[in-house]
């Protein structure tokens, strides 16, 4: 007799969605650009890649080059963002992302990304994904993930208490930010599994969204 696996069910009033690694697979671009940056600065590319996911570029640079003035990090970050925005080769949707976003139409949700508006717009378009109406981007916050500011701002814009939000994230910085905001976290992809999300999925094909009477959201997550 084959055992059946019971799905995990979460209820929420809003969902807050990271972009890179969660809705969009942009790893090919991130690898290309950050490994070039590492080479320019005499850093080990593998070590750099352990740091950069989920953070704004200037915050990654501050960790990797702690003695460099922040003004240089901000200027370097602006150049990197322009490079990344122009390079969408290999940017594809995470499996299940188009259907997942379609199922959220009319339900409270927001994009909360460390990318700026041009980069997030370019990557979502390259992946063929529709943009949520509410978006919290790099321009909207004063602190990068793992600071919870972005997620708290997303919840506030949707008019939902942090405890009633569920975050979808893939990176250590993002999962930490969601937890610090007092939110439950669904981890997406293998990278997320190392950082203790409340629930882990391989991709978004495992997630079914159901509207609940009174404005709630039920997530049925196949395990």
């Amino acid at each position: 007799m084959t055992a059946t696996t019971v799905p995990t069910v979460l209820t929420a009033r809003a969902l807050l969605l990271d972009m890179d690694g969660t809705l969009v697979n942009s790893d090919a671009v991130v690898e290309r650009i950050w490994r070039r940056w590492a080479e320019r600065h005499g850093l080990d590319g593998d070590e750099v890649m352990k740091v950069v996911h989920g953070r704004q570029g200037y915050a990654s640079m501050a960790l990797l080059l702690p003695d460099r003035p922040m003004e240089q990090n901000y200027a370097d970050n602006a150049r990197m963002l322009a490079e990344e925005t122009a390079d969408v080769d290999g940017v594809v949707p995470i499996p299940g992302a188009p259907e997942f976003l379609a199922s959220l139409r009319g339900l409270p949700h927001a994009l909360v990304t460390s990318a700026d508006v041009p980069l997030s717009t370019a990557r979502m378009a390259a992946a063929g994904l529709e943009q949520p109406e509410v978006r919290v981007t790099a321009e909207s916050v004063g602190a990068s993930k793992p600071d919870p500011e972005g997620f708290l701002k997303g919840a506030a814009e949707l008019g939902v208490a942090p405890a009633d939000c569920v975050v979808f994230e893939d990176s250590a910085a993002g999962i930490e930010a969601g937890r610090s905001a007092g939110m439950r976290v669904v981890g997406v992809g293998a990278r997320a599994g190392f950082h203790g999300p409340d629930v882990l999925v391989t991709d978004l094909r495992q997630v079914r969204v159901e509207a609940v009477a009174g404005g709630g959201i039920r997530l049925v997550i196949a395990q």
Side-chain angles (χ1 to χ4, degrees):
M1 190 166 119
T2 304
T4 56
T5 304
V6 178
T8 298
V9 178
L10 299 177
T11 57
R13 298 200 69 82
L15 305 185
L16 302 176
L17 315 173
D18 174 52
M19 183 183 70
D20 291 303
T22 301
L23 298 174
V24 172
N25 182 346
S26 55
D27 282 358
V29 182
V30 174
E31 287 268 344
R32 278 196 298 273
I33 287 177
W34 277 99
R35 284 185 182 276
R36 281 204 300 265
W37 182 89
E39 190 174 350
R40 284 199 299 269
H41 294 280
L43 299 174
D44 180 86
D46 291 340
E47 294 304 312
V48 167
M49 295 314 302
K50 291 176 185 176
V51 170
V52 300
H53 291 291
R55 291 183 171 85
Q56 291 191 44
Y58 73 83
S60 297
M61 293 168 190
L63 290 172
L64 293 162
L65 298 173
D67 297 327
R68 190 165 81 156
M70 280 304 294
E71 291 76 13
Q72 288 185 37
N73 293 337
Y74 288 125
D76 213 357
N77 184 51
R79 287 190 293 271
M80 295 277 280
L81 283 170
E83 276 188 70
E84 291 185 273
T85 302
D87 184 354
V88 293
D89 187 29
V91 173
V92 294
I94 294 291
E99 298 81 3
F100 176 68
L101 285 171
S103 72
L104 289 175
R105 287 183 194 134
L107 297 174
H109 67 289
L111 188 73
V112 181
T113 176
S114 295
D116 64 3
V117 168
L119 180 57
S120 60
T121 301
R123 285 193 177 158
M124 291 289 280
L129 298 176
E130 58 186 89
Q131 290 262 23
E133 286 185 23
V134 177
R135 296 184 289 276
V136 179
T137 60
E139 297 93 338
S140 312
V141 297
S144 170
K145 300 172 185 176
D147 191 283
E149 181 186 357
F151 287 126
L152 292 172
K153 184 162 280 194
E157 289 198 26
L158 293 170
V160 175
D164 291 328
C165 295
V166 170
V167 165
F168 280 72
E169 263 287 359
D170 74 301
S171 69
I175 291 169
E176 184 181 338
R179 286 196 176 287
S180 297
M183 301 171 182
R184 291 155 293 161
V185 181
V186 175
V188 180
R191 190 160 52 224
F194 295 104
H195 307 294
D198 295 282
V199 185
L200 179 66
V201 298
T202 302
D203 59 48
L204 295 170
R205 291 175 293 186
Q206 289 174 243
V207 183
R208 188 170 81 248
V209 177
E210 299 174 353
V212 179
I217 299 170
R218 180 185 292 115
L219 299 171
V220 181
I221 301 169
Q223 297 294 292

